[in-house]
Amino acid sequence: MNKLTQPTTLPNKLSGFGDNVFSIGTMRNYLSEGAYRSLAATLVQGDAIDPAIADEVADAMKTWALEKGATHFTHWFQPLTGATAEKHDSFFSPDGEGGVLARFSGRELTQGEPDASSFPSGGLRATFEARGYTAWDPTSPAFIKETNGVAVLCIPTIFCGYHGEALDKKTPLLRSGHALAQQFKRMAKLFGLDASGRAYATLGPEQEYFLIDRQHLARRPDFCQTGRTLFGRLPARHQQMEDHYFGNIKPRVLAFMAEVDSELWKLGVPAKTRHNEVAPGQFEIAPVFEEQNLATDHNMLVMTVLREVAEKHGFACLLHEKPFAGINGSGKHNNWSVTGPDGKNWLSPGDTPHDNAKFLATVCAIVAGVDTYAELLRATVATAGNDHRLGANEAPPAVISIFLGEQLSDIIAQLHNGGAKSSKHGGTIQVGVSTIPSLPRDVTDRNRTSPLAFTGNKFEFRAVGSNQSCAGPNVALNTIVTWGIDTVCSAIEKRLAGGDEFNTALGSVLKQLFKKHQRVIFDGDNYSQAWRDEAARRGLPCAMTTPKALEVLARADTAALFVKYGVFSERELLSRHDIYADTYEKTIMIEAECALRIARTQLAPAGLAYAAELRAAGQAAPVSKLAKRVGNLNVKLLAAADKLETAIAKEQPAQALVAMAAARAAADELEALVPAEQWPLPTYAEMLFAC
Ligand code: ADP
Ligand code: MG
């Protein structure tokens, strides 16, 4: 029998991982012991940075960056455009003797003053007070971004106005993480746990995307300008065979994925899984989860790296939520959990009754929070792109509900039905801490249709759009859960003050809250009409479009929630409403203008030319029948174009959407009749199957 020879050394470290990150490990080689300890504490504990060490840290970072070939640094921030922003400054300044000196001060590291007048501020800042400030967020380490061989030191920063008003997505994320931590510490204390450690939210965002061959872009003005196809007919074969999901990855795509992974690893992004998704040309990448703020920054880097590496490989990476009509769109599964001050995942059912009580209290807080603020959660995924996806038969619907799985739902049903009953899997459940039995590790099954699903040790918010920053949805999740934990704690404290024993108090609070908010729990098929009807009966809110969904951001009760936990001031929140509503309208109007141009200058001419050809081809019945059909479609297309023009002139996005759909319907039918070589746009079949 052949024996397998064991290699003596197996490489179990990934060489290159984090090479471009000024991580705690790297710092050790560049800082004095004192500065190192101080900065490491800032990173690990989330303490404020000690200004006394800023100069030394900056100098160390500069030395490291120069060694890595960087000549410039930038404060890397996330304005309300939803993208990342950077403005490069070189380290060098004249030395007065005809040469230059590399300098980088503590002040340059910790604070920048970009002219902010061209970033959306939603009325937070008038142009005359255009100054914006960026400030280092030391909890997200500096990194070196290499693009085409150009290395730049990037320093993650927040971005705010003169009076400290948040002009970005990171500031509220940090604030909401802070609020969440406070409430979890409070709950830990109530549970008699050591609350001295740090509590923080964790995030693992799964990212979906499409690849098409780059050559098609030049001939698709819609892709170039709007990120999606405004016209295009489904080919005979698309995703019916269900053979793409987890299918064999084509060599060219695999080469791309391998380079994406290695670029991300250099940046310290723990990219973990890669696979083909449901639609042809669609793929997914997912990292190992990290602390939420870092994971959010890393997801921004994932999107950037995907786009850049795609270009190198002759692909275009499409991150739009719905690049192709009739074919699955792309989302971002936002896996959210929380690590308590005891260092444990509080959404992980544990081995002891005590752990399980903690777990159920956390689930209860989430259920109560999500039911109370479902509209807010819905608003955070409201974008023009996501409107095409949410509610289509592929992505969670616009009605927010929670999936808990059969067993957990059963336990909760028993809690509010009156306590001690037998669980589905045997054993006795009582409400009090000491009598909640161990729950099995895998207490959930899979449900792909729910917007917010409990998946064993985390909640997966599946409605997030592929192109969105994770920040917005997580600011809302954090704040909603903060409110939930606050509510649970306050209710328990009140009962304790009334003389209840802890277990009794906890039991009654959970029972009461689960009962009050059970309408938001739904384990069935969220795509079915039956659920839509049921949701309406339950009185669950359902905002089908972005403008409707965004309304909640302008409401006083929403402002009160954010103000209470110090996440947004009233003005900051209103500015978000205004910016997102404006972005929505602009997006639709750009699409409308682009569609009009394509319809009039490319598609209608092709249709009209073919109609003329057919008329010249004689009067035989099938020929004139076809000529009539083409002629009718041309008329429909041109009529829709006229309506589109009117909607654009009157700045009416809703009407523009209707006219665009009518133009598309006519054009997509024409596409099936006009000779292939005369059709001016690359077809879905050409674009979707190259990868
Ligand atoms: P899937 O949901 O596709 O089966 P996984 O169960 O592997 O995939 O998890 C998906 C994502 O959830 C991964 O990014 C993973 O790291 C992340 N995840 C796992 N545990 C947690 C947690 N405690 N907090 C946040 N994200 C988590
Ligand atoms: Mg998942």
Side-chain angles (χ1 to χ4, degrees):
M1 211 171 85
N2 275 344
K3 262 177 113 185
L4 276 178
T5 42
Q6 285 287 338
T8 46
T9 51
L10 278 172
N12 61 2
K13 281 223 164 163
L14 184 62
S15 77
F17 187 85
D19 266 6
N20 284 0
V21 183
F22 195 65
S23 60
I24 297 186
T26 308
M27 280 170 206
R28 193 184 274 283
N29 302 325
Y30 289 83
L31 288 172
S32 68
E33 184 65 18
Y36 167 74
R37 277 178 192 281
S38 168
L39 191 58
T42 301
L43 295 178
V44 175
Q45 295 295 335
D47 293 349
I49 179 155
D50 175 2
I53 64 160
D55 276 332
E56 187 183 336
V57 174
D59 199 58
M61 225 184 249
K62 177 203 72 188
T63 307
W64 172 75
L66 290 173
E67 282 171 15
K68 290 269 171 198
T71 52
H72 288 66
F73 71 93
T74 180
H75 280 196
W76 183 80
F77 58 103
Q78 297 166 39
L80 293 168
T81 54
T84 57
E86 52 193 79
K87 173 191 161 225
H88 302 179
D89 273 300
S90 117
F91 291 119
F92 301 99
S93 28
D95 63 1
E97 297 173 7
V100 287
L101 256 181
R103 278 203 201 95
F104 188 45
S105 68
R107 204 186 127 79
E108 283 172 303
L109 164 66
T110 51
Q111 195 177 315
E113 292 180 19
D115 175 355
S117 55
S118 298
F119 292 109
S121 82
L124 274 180
R125 190 178 25 71
T127 11
F128 63 83
E129 45 179 36
R131 223 177 268 279
Y133 294 87
T134 51
W136 185 29
D137 162 24
T139 57
S140 181
F143 57 90
I144 291 194
K145 179 88 183 34
E146 286 172 323
T147 315
N148 284 336
V150 180
V152 177
L153 172 68
C154 298
I155 300 153
T157 57
I158 59 159
F159 177 48
C160 59
Y162 183 73
H163 302 289
E165 57 282 21
L167 300 173
D168 69 344
K169 291 188 171 261
K170 189 190 261 285
T171 306
L173 185 66
L174 291 170
R175 290 177 184 162
S176 65
H178 183 71
L180 185 79
Q182 302 286 87
Q183 291 301 330
F184 271 94
K185 273 172 177 270
R186 176 179 171 202
M187 183 135 108
K189 276 190 206 137
L190 265 184
F191 273 81
L193 297 166
D194 174 12
S196 60
R198 214 160 59 84
Y200 54 92
T202 50
L203 170 66
E206 303 164 56
Q207 176 74 50
E208 293 178 334
Y209 61 94
F210 277 86
L211 291 177
I212 60 166
D213 198 300
R214 203 160 184 85
Q215 59 163 336
H216 299 308
L217 272 194
R219 292 177 53 226
R220 293 276 339 193
D222 44 2
F223 262 145
C224 292
Q225 293 176 45
T226 72
R228 73 181 182 104
T229 53
L230 299 172
F231 297 97
R233 188 182 169 85
L234 266 189
R237 176 180 175 155
H238 42 99
Q239 61 186 54
Q240 307 98 316
M241 307 303 275
E242 300 179 332
D243 54 356
H244 196 255
Y245 189 62
F246 282 14
N248 180 34
I249 301 172
K250 290 188 181 156
R252 191 180 159 201
V253 173
L254 188 58
F256 156 82
M257 287 176 163
E259 189 169 340
V260 166
D261 282 345
S262 96
E263 285 303 313
L264 289 173
W265 288 338
K266 274 198 249 171
L267 291 163
V269 180
K272 176 88 171 160
T273 58
R274 57 191 191 201
H275 62 81
N276 287 4
E277 256 300 329
V278 170
Q282 192 187 28
F283 308 92
E284 181 183 297
I285 180 169
V288 178
F289 73 94
E290 299 176 282
E291 185 168 345
Q292 191 183 59
N293 174 41
L294 186 60
T296 302
D297 284 358
H298 279 171
N299 180 252
M300 299 307 288
L301 284 176
V302 166
M303 293 196 283
T304 306
V305 167
L306 282 172
R307 286 200 185 94
E308 289 179 0
V309 176
E311 209 172 315
K312 269 178 77 179
H313 287 250
F315 290 126
C317 175
L318 311 172
L319 289 168
H320 193 281
E321 284 76 16
K322 193 76 173 179
F324 300 98
I327 288 180
N328 271 20
S330 297
K332 177 136 55 194
H333 289 176
N334 189 97
N335 293 278
W336 184 100
S337 190
V338 66
T339 297
D342 54 354
K344 291 187 182 163
N345 178 358
W346 280 35
L347 282 175
S348 204
D351 295 326
T352 67
H354 197 82
D355 278 346
N356 288 334
K358 198 175 81 175
F359 162 74
L360 279 181
T362 309
V363 172
C364 178
I366 294 172
V367 167
V370 170
D371 180 39
T372 310
Y373 294 104
E375 288 162 288
L376 170 59
L377 204 53
R378 165 68 182 94
T380 65
V381 294
T383 64
N386 223 14
D387 273 4
H388 298 287
R389 182 178 156 263
L390 292 183
N393 232 17
E394 58 177 270
V399 180
I400 298 286
S401 67
I402 296 181
F403 168 87
L404 290 180
E406 197 187 353
Q407 200 190 350
L408 196 49
S409 294
D410 181 50
I411 288 168
I412 285 159
Q414 292 185 34
L415 277 178
H416 59 68
N417 287 342
K421 300 269 163 40
S422 72
S423 94
K424 266 208 167 0
H425 301 268
T428 301
I429 291 168
Q430 290 200 347
V431 176
V433 169
S434 55
T435 44
I436 293 176
S438 316
L439 303 169
R441 281 260 165 227
D442 196 10
V443 293
T444 176
D445 26 78
R446 294 266 156 183
N447 176 323
R448 305 185 123 260
T449 68
S450 178
L452 192 62
F454 177 67
T455 51
N457 62 355
K458 60 191 186 291
F459 275 91
E460 186 168 335
F461 186 31
R462 298 205 180 97
V464 182
S466 50
N467 206 9
Q468 279 191 267
S469 156
C470 296
N474 286 298
V475 166
L477 271 171
N478 291 349
T479 310
I480 286 170
V481 178
T482 297
W483 178 89
I485 298 283
D486 186 3
T487 303
V488 169
C489 289
S490 300
I492 294 175
E493 283 161 2
K494 198 168 157 200
R495 283 180 180 268
L496 291 179
D500 269 8
E501 176 267 338
F502 178 75
N503 288 350
T504 319
L506 174 66
S508 358
V509 168
L510 295 189
K511 177 177 158 181
Q512 184 236 330
L513 283 175
F514 273 126
K515 189 166 193 138
K516 182 164 172 200
H517 298 288
Q518 63 182 314
R519 64 173 191 162
V520 79
I521 300 170
F522 178 68
D523 283 357
D525 177 2
N526 292 69
Y527 295 167
S528 67
Q529 185 56 46
W531 166 236
R532 273 166 223 203
D533 299 342
E534 169 68 15
R537 268 195 300 279
R538 292 189 190 183
L540 296 177
C542 173
M544 288 302 289
T545 62
T546 294
K548 193 92 202 112
L550 289 177
E551 284 171 9
V552 66
L553 298 184
R555 260 175 25 202
D557 56 332
T558 314
L561 171 76
F562 283 120
V563 169
K564 176 166 187 195
Y565 298 110
V567 176
F568 285 121
S569 70
E570 213 166 315
R571 273 188 70 210
E572 284 173 334
L573 182 65
L574 199 58
S575 77
R576 268 67 184 171
H577 170 271
D578 293 355
I579 290 169
Y580 300 149
D582 187 53
T583 302
Y584 171 82
E585 289 202 4
K586 283 180 180 154
T587 306
I588 302 294
M589 296 327 276
I590 289 169
E591 288 184 351
E593 292 221 30
C594 187
L596 179 61
R597 189 82 57 92
I598 294 172
R600 283 226 176 111
T601 68
Q602 295 188 272
L603 306 185
L608 291 167
Y610 186 46
E613 263 179 54
L614 286 169
R615 278 195 299 276
Q619 294 301 314
V623 177
S624 57
K625 191 174 157 202
L626 182 57
K628 202 166 165 195
R629 226 176 131 187
V630 172
N632 281 341
L633 289 170
N634 287 337
V635 170
K636 281 191 189 162
L637 178 59
L638 289 170
D642 285 347
K643 289 204 171 122
L644 196 48
E645 190 170 23
T646 310
I648 293 169
K650 293 188 175 167
E651 295 180 31
Q652 295 170 321
Q655 282 82 342
L657 278 171
V658 173
M660 266 196 281
R664 176 172 200 147
D668 289 0
E669 256 195 82
L670 265 182
E671 189 189 320
L673 302 177
V674 170
E677 75 275 7
Q678 289 174 30
W679 192 250
L681 301 175
T683 64
Y684 274 24
E686 286 170 82
M687 293 189 290
L688 278 166
F689 290 97
C691 311

